[in-house]
Amino acid sequence: MPRLFCVALVLASGLLLGLASGASAQTPLDVDPYREAASRIIEAALADSAAYDRAAYMGDTFGHRFSGSQSLEDAIDWILDEMRADGLESVRGQPVMVPAWIRGQESVLMTHPRVEPLAMLGLGGSVGTTAAGVEAEVLVVGSFDELTARASEAEGKIVVYNVPFTSYGRTVAYRTQGAIAAAKVGAVASLVRSVGPVSLSTPHTGTMSYEDGVPRIPHAAITVEAAAMLQRMADRGEAPRLRVTMGATTAPDRLSRNVIGEIRGRESPQEVVVIGGHIDSWDVGQGMHDDGGGCVVAWEAVRLLHDLGLRPRRTIRVVLWTNEENGLRGATTYADSVGASGAANTQLAIESDGGVFEPIGFGVTGSSGVFETLKPIEALLAPVLAQEASQPIGIVSGGGGADIGPLMRQGVPGVGHRTANERYFWYHHTAADTVDKLDAGHVQRNVAAMAILAYVAAEMPQRLPQGE
Amino acid sequence: MPRLFCVALVLASGLLLGLASGASAQTPLDVDPYREAASRIIEAALADSAAYDRAAYMGDTFGHRFSGSQSLEDAIDWILDEMRADGLESVRGQPVMVPAWIRGQESVLMTHPRVEPLAMLGLGGSVGTTAAGVEAEVLVVGSFDELTARASEAEGKIVVYNVPFTSYGRTVAYRTQGAIAAAKVGAVASLVRSVGPVSLSTPHTGTMSYEDGVPRIPHAAITVEAAAMLQRMADRGEAPRLRVTMGATTAPDRLSRNVIGEIRGRESPQEVVVIGGHIDSWDVGQGMHDDGGGCVVAWEAVRLLHDLGLRPRRTIRVVLWTNEENGLRGATTYADSVGASGAANTQLAIESDGGVFEPIGFGVTGSSGVFETLKPIEALLAPVLAQEASQPIGIVSGGGGADIGPLMRQGVPGVGHRTANERYFWYHHTAADTVDKLDAGHVQRNVAAMAILAYVAAEMPQRLPQGE
């Protein structure tokens, strides 16, 4: 179906459903009917450390959960078994073909002005090198503009992007687009200063892109420390040289699965509140803040509602998408599988993919009225939200997530789970995104917040309006 | 000479000198005569980034400076050449035989409940293993007390000390003494959770001890992340197993040098203000906060005084001690070389070995009156000290340094350089103690502070009293 027509249809059905509910889109929800349920949810969530324990067990037992890896599929098998044991309904693995990039042995060796191995991580999707590697003098630049200005110096060199972290969105462009820009000016490889605000000699991996018609050159991340050193050496005219060796290969796509489980709605089971995170991670660390913790929080929120016997009007469906990191195949497969009618029947899509630190609320994106309707729910969340934070506490306007993006683009209201995540990019895509970075108390409070929002959205009488 | 007699002699001579100066020990120094010199020092120190540039060049060009390594001796050769070019007097390398511990190839592999390599660093002085390594189940303990209580479980195991960082002094005991305690209860190896408050999968090395009559077992540091994971696995009854492989060896002692340079005193050249840091580092990173930065700050302080033509009454001697980290051989050699008379003639010993962050002042240890005498100098330092800090700003009572310890124990008043070093133990003994952790402005302000203190101590009419 052409996208524009599809969106129009969805918008129309959303408007009709909104009108059919009899409630004005602008009417703030009366949350009094949900106060008792919210209290029970909070009490149950804070009674033990079940969610934290599951996240820790998953991280420790399976390690990373990279697309194409056996450890991801083992973790998925375990979750499916556990969800069935939890008593969730319609528990299933939804098949998804995912990319299989394999890192292999890799290194960056400084060969001049002295010999020293530099900590590094190849970037997902990069081509490899021969076993001898690629050795060349470096050209250190601080921006794409500088690369353009110095294009004549790049031929045969290894481009090093020494770009300090400002915001993720701005800085990550050098990771995703760096190899293309470097290859266009004749570089033989490119390296990016790791995308993070704090480094303890910490390489950050992540995905990267090539462009048709542009040579595919090896692309990897080095540490902030190494990039800064190469910059100083270049500034002193010492012409540093590096040898980049990467065994990276891309195998044929492999079978993975989205993990799905439900509490079937008691009145309108075809209407669905989707809640989830992405079960895949990068191939280092344990992927706890990104996004194992988010998955477990969403899953445990639904398990808790089930245990409390809270079966709402609509279906609550936990979806743990696969392959968010380097393909988004899980998200597109899920959206394709429900189709336009499924999107039209999706009351709300909630994603947790910004870390599981102290909960501060949710961010809402939707057509006029969605935010105003949901805003009063923050009164129910207050007992588990932070008392102080550097970001606004409560339900704010604006938010979402990569995995619910395909639904949101069809008009489904989207919600991003928000936590006090100032340190998120310290750990992001590194060996340090591990269980110890989770706080058990925070995890349990996030479970309560997610459960309350999902329950109220599934129980409230009115449909939320769809459309942009 | 028996130590007690020696101390008594030194105390007596100190008292005599104090009396001879005609000033009461309790009289605060009138700093007005030094205001103009202090202003000139500050202006010159802040005029460029010479000190930072030297520190950066040293770190980048030579890398780490571990006792017994060629890189340490190369760095020392460079400094001696530069000091001579600076015009310092009596520039010399003082021979010191230092230990030569060689790390070799090393690894810790978790073999159960899943296979994963764990980031690690062997500890300086540890024995190695066979090429096959030592493989055993782990016994995770949180304290020496717990190890004692569970001694019957330790036989044949690898003891893992999972001790959270509280203070360095308290936590480091598990690094220095852990192998002894583990061996006493029959362990085949021991691992310590790295001694640091923040980890991004960051192993910290450092020195460790054996005890005569106790078997020497391999001893290494793993990351906070890995120690916490092993703890969780043990708590879940999963009986994790590790294979520790270390190629560590200890070679015969090798020749190193203390680096010494002077501004000869114009009136009492035999009286000396000693100022310095330790030029050696661990064998990872660039040893910038520990203690390359401290060395350069002391050296540049003296170079600056020379350039300004400020030749004080007494000699100012910069000493960059070798082998502080794993032997303190440089400090003992220096103290032995000057002897009791040299100690008695040492007006003040100033050490920078706590990092080169934003300057906040100095800490003074000495007999009654030393602190009171020096306290007013903080008025001269004020323009370069931090305006706000979590620690007291100015000249405080209490301080010193490992390398000036042998002098202080002979009654020499000692001063420790203080900076806002909350992050010192983030980087300490890791690959992340690198040039980028220095701030050029902070370095220059520290040079000014060190130069002012050394100058005033060398120029003031009175001798500082000695003794405890």
Side-chain angles (χ1 to χ4, degrees), chain A residues 56-57 59-61 63 114 198-202 225 229 232-233 236 238 286 426-427 431-432 434-437, chain B residues 56-57 59-61 63 114 198-202 225 229 232-233 236 238 286 426-427 432 434-437:
Chain A
Y57 178 84
D60 293 342
T61 304
R114 66 186 163 86
V198 167
S199 179
L200 296 175
S201 192
T202 313
E225 287 85 349
M229 178 177 71
R232 291 189 301 270
M233 289 174 161
R236 286 192 294 255
E238 294 170 0
Q286 299 175 323
W426 291 30
Y427 313 134
T434 44
V435 172
D436 55 293
K437 305 309 185 306
Chain B
Y57 178 84
D60 293 342
T61 304
R114 67 185 163 86
V198 167
S199 179
L200 295 175
S201 193
T202 314
E225 286 85 349
M229 179 176 71
R232 291 189 302 270
M233 288 174 162
R236 286 192 295 254
E238 294 171 359
Q286 299 176 323
W426 291 30
Y427 314 133
T434 43
V435 173
D436 55 293
K437 305 309 186 304

Side-chain angles (χ1 to χ4, degrees), chain A residues 122-331:
Chain A
L123 294 170
S126 175
V127 297
T129 67
T130 64
V134 174
E135 183 169 352
E137 187 181 330
V138 305
L139 172 65
V140 186
V141 297
S143 66
F144 287 128
D145 285 347
E146 184 179 350
L147 181 63
T148 302
R150 301 178 64 186
S152 64
E153 301 173 53
E155 182 72 32
K157 297 238 179 84
I158 296 171
V159 167
V160 173
Y161 295 100
N162 177 36
V163 183
F165 185 87
T166 48
S167 69
Y168 182 68
R170 226 177 282 181
T171 316
V172 79
Y174 295 88
R175 191 191 77 205
T176 58
Q177 307 301 313
I180 299 168
K184 281 181 176 172
V185 292
V188 293
S190 51
L191 299 171
V192 61
R193 170 175 167 146
S194 283
V195 180
V198 167
S199 179
L200 296 175
S201 192
T202 313
H204 295 234
T205 188
T207 196
M208 53 81 65
S209 298
Y210 289 120
E211 191 175 290
D212 285 347
V214 178
R216 297 181 167 222
I217 61 174
H219 191 43
I222 56 175
T223 63
V224 169
E225 287 85 349
M229 178 177 71
L230 293 168
Q231 178 82 64
R232 291 189 301 270
M233 289 174 161
D235 290 349
R236 286 192 294 255
E238 294 170 0
R241 292 178 65 84
L242 302 178
R243 184 186 305 152
V244 177
T245 309
M246 293 172 64
T249 53
T250 299
D253 288 358
R254 292 179 182 172
L255 184 63
S256 184
R257 292 158 288 172
N258 291 329
V259 177
I260 303 177
E262 298 179 356
I263 297 176
R264 189 169 167 81
R266 67 170 195 277
E267 281 188 12
S268 305
Q270 79 286 0
E271 294 179 6
V272 176
V273 170
V274 170
I275 180 172
H278 64 84
I279 190 56
D280 67 307
S281 72
W282 277 97
D283 60 339
V284 291
Q286 299 175 323
M288 276 293 115
H289 279 295
D290 187 14
D291 183 27
C295 285
V296 171
V297 162
W299 164 21
E300 278 286 305
V302 178
R303 199 265 304 164
L304 203 65
L305 295 173
H306 171 80
D307 286 0
L308 291 171
L310 291 167
R311 183 181 294 277
R313 199 181 302 268
R314 299 180 189 83
T315 294
I316 298 179
R317 179 180 296 156
V318 55
V319 185
L320 310 182
W321 290 275
T322 194
N323 185 230
E324 187 272 348
E325 293 293 1
N326 57 335
L328 216 64
R329 302 271 186 92

